[in-house]
Amino acid sequence: MNTPMSMLNPRGRVLPFSEKERTEEETETLESSLLQLIEDNRRSSLQLREKTERSRKEAIRHAARTADLLVKAVNGGVEECFVNEKRIEAEIRSLAVTVARFGKQTDQWLAATHAVNSAVKEIGDFENWMKTMEFDCKKITAAIRNIHEDH
């Protein structure tokens, strides 16, 4: 800084020695102030960057936690639906077996009822046949008596 240009004042004239010292001191003070400002700015920027990074990481942690809680809440409902679906499917299979068993039983009852109806019909036919035979026998007996009485 001890160049001839630094000894000149802004207007281009040579300054006296005391003013030169004062100007150099002011320049050094100004430089140190500027350096101090730059250092303070760098430090505050670094602190701000660190704080931002911490906040970002904390926000990511909170978002992950929230996502986990939401997934658990949704999965709880889905899991309950899945369990209910499995129960319903098991009940459907059980009811299908019961319906098939009742269908077979109904078919057996229908066959038995048909057999009883046929038997009753045969009994009715037999009874009718018996009445017809009895009537025919009575006619024959009456005819034989008539013939026998006439002789």
Side-chain angles (χ1 to χ4, degrees):
M1 283 284 307
N2 290 335
T3 63
M5 291 303 273
S6 66
M7 293 182 190
L8 295 175
N9 82 2
R11 293 190 177 167
R13 68 180 179 87
V14 177
L15 297 173
F17 186 72
S18 64
E19 283 186 39
K20 283 190 244 179
E21 285 180 4
R22 191 169 42 143
T23 303
E24 287 176 10
E25 287 176 8
E26 285 176 0
T27 303
E28 287 176 11
T29 305
L30 182 61
E31 275 184 44
S32 65
S33 294
L34 285 174
L35 288 173
Q36 184 65 38
L37 280 173
I38 291 171
E39 181 62 26
D40 288 347
N41 184 29
R42 187 188 65 73
R43 214 177 302 119
S44 67
S45 292
L46 185 62
Q47 288 173 347
L48 183 61
R49 206 173 309 128
E50 288 172 354
K51 184 178 180 183
T52 303
E53 186 64 22
R54 281 193 308 269
S55 295
R56 185 183 68 81
K57 286 179 181 177
E58 186 176 338
I60 289 171
R61 271 195 317 274
H62 287 299
R65 177 75 175 133
T66 301
D68 286 344
L69 289 173
L70 287 172
V71 166
K72 284 180 183 176
V74 170
N75 280 348
V78 170
E79 183 180 357
E80 184 178 339
C81 288
F82 183 73
V83 167
N84 287 341
E85 181 183 10
K86 291 299 177 189
R87 276 192 212 133
I88 289 169
E89 287 174 356
E91 189 65 27
I92 287 171
R93 284 190 294 275
S94 172
L95 288 173
V97 168
T98 303
V99 166
R101 192 178 74 237
F102 285 159
K104 287 178 185 177
Q105 190 174 18
T106 302
D107 289 343
Q108 289 172 349
W109 288 348
L110 187 59
T113 304
H114 184 66
V116 167
N117 281 342
S118 295
V120 168
K121 184 177 176 187
E122 288 175 8
I123 290 172
D125 289 345
F126 180 73
E127 189 177 349
N128 191 26
W129 179 76
M130 290 291 290
K131 286 181 183 176
T132 304
M133 291 300 281
E134 184 180 3
F135 180 72
D136 287 345
C137 285
K138 284 183 182 178
K139 276 172 101 185
I140 292 172
T141 307
I144 292 174
R145 275 191 199 151
N146 286 338
I147 293 174
H148 187 56
E149 286 177 5
D150 286 340
H151 283 10

